[in-house]
Amino acid sequence: MFVFSSIEHYHAQLLEEKITCCQAVEHFLQRIRETAHLNAFIEVYADEALQTASVLDKKRKAGKTIGKLHGVVIALKDVICHKDHPVSASSNILKNFSSVYSATAVQKFLDEDAIIIGRCNCDEFAMGSTNENSAYGKVLNALDETRVPGGSSGGSAVAVQAGLCMISLGSDTGGSVRQPADFCGIIGLKPTYGRISRYGLIAYASSFDQVGIFGNTITDVAKVLEIISGPDEFDSTVSQKETPAYSSQLTGDKKFRFAYFDEALNHPSIDPEISSGINGLIEQLKKDGHSAEPVKFDLLDFIVPAYYVLTTAEASSNLSRYDGVKYGYRTGKSITDLVEFYKQTRSEGFGKEVKRRIMLGTFVLSAGYYDAYFTRAQKVRRLLCDHVKKIFNNFDLMLLPTSPVTAFKVGEKINDPIAMYLADIYTVMANLVGIPAISLPLFKHSNNMPFSVQVMANHFDELTLLQVSSLMMGQYRQDQK
Ligand code: GLN
């Protein structure tokens, strides 16, 4: 039977003719069928994936040069465009819409011989932390089906967690890759804002959004990152900086300087086992010759409100394009007044959480309240950026939990949006500042669910982030003792 452990091992098996791409795809299709009740996929491209696999098998057997992701089976969050394939942001407003072009990240996958196996369920327009806000229904956590997988990229996380693909892509605006990775016990990376092109990523909050990667090993995540990053003429916010060859520079005996925050580890919302797990890790790191020091962080309680003011403001503007005229869903009622037509289409097309955020965002941008909310939130963002900049003058990395609690029970948070928002306390910082952050599944809770440490690095210092991640995944896993 085919067992996937890493891209490198898979490639070795292909070259030794122990396996074919077709067999790998068949294996994943079978797994997807067996786990259909988890609802991780909205659509599976079974025939197309098998066809691509067979072309790749022929190409390899003919001795032709193979791509860096030859035969690697990948799943995409339903907010990432893939030409001539439907994309809906898990929303009724885009049901039946097909991508007219491929996202840059997807094009780079295809150029390197990857196989896209399907599109994954997510919270509507990437708004949520449980994957319960989807027009396609909720996704279940494969480790405990009474729990959510986290969100918004819940389907992509479960696709890796349950062994339904090798790698998946999500998007992370405030934690949507790191938090589901934490709830599912896998690795989730949000790169620096501007590292991966956002061309072809459906916008939620454009100054926060970033494509992120789910995987089982740091080497795989590093390899995928180096392939899909880099300058792009279609996204002017992407850095022109050369992408380092991350995957070949992961090991070493460097000693790192960590900053951590007592305010975060002693926060009233944190599960005591999570804080003691991270505190224990800090002690171990110090014993092993790294340095770890507490740094003051007075802004902690302001960052979730600032995040929700700024992202809803951006969302209210970004989502104004779904008007029923240009594309997407259109009301079936015959309405002659244009404004009424917009209202009806949008009322029918958007789900509850998306409507809540459009209204919140419109409110904070309105003339009477702009300074009280939007301007103040921008000031918090600026103060936070300044503070983080100072921290990185003296430290290489920051250590935090990913989430204050382990995976919620299905339905637990859905009727209390504020409680759900507040659980984003540790992830939104990286998006407000634009720095890279990763969630590493090092721990197991007494309730049997996994939990993670989150590590953040300075802008464009993914190399240090991945090096330390490789060290931690190799030597600091507490869940395997
Ligand atoms: N949970 C956060 C929110 O609902 C994060 C979403 C995201 O990163 N896309 O906004």
Side-chain angles (χ1 to χ4, degrees):
M1 201 190 82
F2 174 67
V3 179
F4 175 72
S5 58
S6 70
I7 297 175
E8 198 182 348
H9 181 239
Y10 169 54
H11 278 173
Q13 285 177 300
L14 286 173
L15 293 172
E16 287 163 20
E17 296 188 17
K18 288 192 177 140
I19 182 97
T20 64
C21 297
C22 285
Q23 285 167 336
V25 169
E26 263 157 17
H27 161 82
F28 288 114
L29 292 174
Q30 174 65 21
R31 284 289 301 145
I32 293 171
R33 278 192 295 272
E34 286 161 8
T35 56
H37 66 286
L38 299 175
N39 204 19
F41 280 87
I42 292 174
E43 199 176 345
V44 179
Y45 312 129
D47 294 343
E48 187 187 340
L50 282 170
Q51 232 165 27
T52 313
S54 124
V55 171
L56 292 173
D57 282 334
K58 284 195 195 107
K59 175 172 169 181
R60 191 181 63 258
K61 282 176 187 160
K64 294 198 182 135
T65 5
I66 60 167
K68 293 186 191 127
L69 294 176
H70 182 86
V72 173
V73 178
I74 291 174
L76 302 175
K77 181 178 182 179
D78 188 33
V79 290
I80 299 171
C81 294
H82 178 194
K83 193 172 191 288
D84 298 329
H85 294 74
V87 64
S88 78
S90 288
S91 178
N92 282 323
I93 210 143
L94 279 175
K95 238 179 197 168
N96 307 323
F97 177 76
S98 247
S99 298
V100 282
Y101 56 84
S102 281
T104 298
V106 171
Q107 195 52 53
K108 292 193 180 203
F109 276 149
L110 299 173
D111 293 345
E112 293 295 347
D113 287 356
I115 301 172
I116 313 262
I117 196 155
R119 63 184 169 118
C120 288
N121 206 340
C122 59
D123 281 301
E124 186 178 358
F125 283 98
M127 297 174 183
S129 308
T130 61
N131 213 132
E132 291 166 297
N133 304 326
S134 163
Y136 298 93
K138 56 179 182 282
V139 177
L140 304 180
N141 192 315
L143 281 173
D144 175 350
E145 296 179 12
T146 67
R147 293 179 191 267
V148 300
S152 63
S153 316
S156 300
V158 172
V160 168
Q161 177 199 36
L164 316 180
C165 61
M166 298 177 183
I167 284 284
S168 67
L169 286 192
S171 65
D172 191 313
T173 304
S176 278
V177 167
R178 289 159 287 152
Q179 184 259 20
D182 172 277
F183 281 15
C184 291
I186 57 171
I187 297 166
L189 169 72
K190 180 205 90 79
T192 309
Y193 182 81
R195 177 84 285 179
I196 300 174
S197 169
R198 285 179 298 114
Y199 181 71
L201 169 66
I202 293 181
Y204 158 16
S206 311
S207 76
F208 293 75
D209 297 340
Q210 183 62 201
V211 171
I213 304 164
F214 291 101
N216 288 309
T217 69
I218 294 297
T219 318
D220 283 359
V221 169
K223 199 177 185 71
V224 169
L225 180 68
E226 71 200 19
I227 290 168
I228 62 177
S229 294
D232 181 17
E233 58 172 322
F234 299 120
D235 177 359
S236 61
T237 63
V238 175
S239 166
Q240 296 300 314
K241 284 188 187 173
E242 186 99 1
T243 312
Y246 302 115
S247 61
S248 56
Q249 302 176 61
L250 292 175
T251 47
D253 48 12
K254 248 192 235 168
K255 297 294 173 203
F256 298 99
R257 298 170 302 167
F258 295 94
Y260 64 92
F261 312 105
D262 286 327
E263 292 85 346
L265 294 173
N266 300 326
H267 197 267
S269 69
I270 195 170
D271 179 317
E273 275 188 50
I274 298 184
S275 81
S276 74
I278 310 261
N279 276 318
L281 173 69
I282 291 170
E283 287 316 309
Q284 250 182 302
L285 286 165
K286 287 203 268 195
K287 260 191 226 141
D288 295 345
H290 304 279
S291 80
E293 287 172 37
V295 172
K296 250 201 124 22
F297 192 45
D298 297 331
L299 291 165
L300 189 63
D301 285 325
F302 299 97
I303 60 180
V304 170
Y307 166 83
Y308 277 93
V309 167
L310 296 173
T311 52
T312 55
E314 292 189 25
S316 71
S317 159
N318 271 328
L319 271 58
S320 65
R321 72 191 67 173
Y322 306 105
D323 57 10
V325 175
K326 298 188 278 287
Y327 51 80
Y329 177 80
R330 167 180 298 193
T331 180
K333 297 201 174 130
S334 72
I335 297 173
T336 46
D337 180 75
L338 185 62
V339 173
E340 265 318 301
F341 168 82
Y342 289 154
K343 277 192 196 163
Q344 192 60 37
T345 295
R346 289 165 66 83
S347 300
E348 290 171 15
F350 288 128
K352 193 167 161 189
E353 180 62 22
V354 174
K355 283 180 197 161
R356 178 168 21 241
R357 295 199 191 195
I358 292 174
M359 284 191 277
L360 257 172
T362 308
F363 175 76
V364 301
L365 288 175
S366 62
Y369 293 95
Y370 189 93
D371 282 342
Y373 293 101
F374 191 75
T375 309
R376 283 180 86 189
Q378 277 186 306
K379 285 183 184 167
V380 172
R381 193 176 198 180
R382 161 58 51 206
L383 289 173
L384 184 68
C385 290
D386 291 347
H387 188 53
V388 167
K389 198 169 173 189
K390 280 198 201 121
I391 295 175
F392 284 124
N393 284 336
N394 298 312
F395 297 91
D396 306 310
L397 299 148
M398 302 194 288
L399 272 192
L400 289 104
T402 302
S403 164
V405 289
T406 55
F408 319 130
K409 290 275 182 186
V410 171
E412 182 186 332
K413 291 271 191 291
I414 196 71
N415 294 317
D416 190 351
I418 303 280
M420 201 191 286
Y421 298 170
L422 287 173
D424 294 338
I425 179 163
Y426 303 127
T427 48
V428 295
M429 170 155 91
N431 306 78
L432 279 157
V433 180
I435 52 177
I438 194 162
S439 183
L440 304 170
L442 301 186
F443 306 96
K444 193 167 184 181
H445 194 275
S446 59
N447 67 8
N448 273 328
M449 294 308 288
F451 69 91
S452 301
V453 66
Q454 183 184 191
V455 192
M456 297 182 188
N458 208 350
H459 287 102
F460 297 103
D461 197 6
E462 276 86 357
L463 184 57
T464 305
L465 187 65
L466 291 164
Q467 286 171 336
V468 84
S469 299
S470 165
L471 172 79
M472 287 193 182
M473 289 297 287
Q475 288 178 31
Y476 293 85
R477 288 189 79 156
Q478 319 272 312
D479 59 342
Q480 291 182 336
K481 284 188 181 150

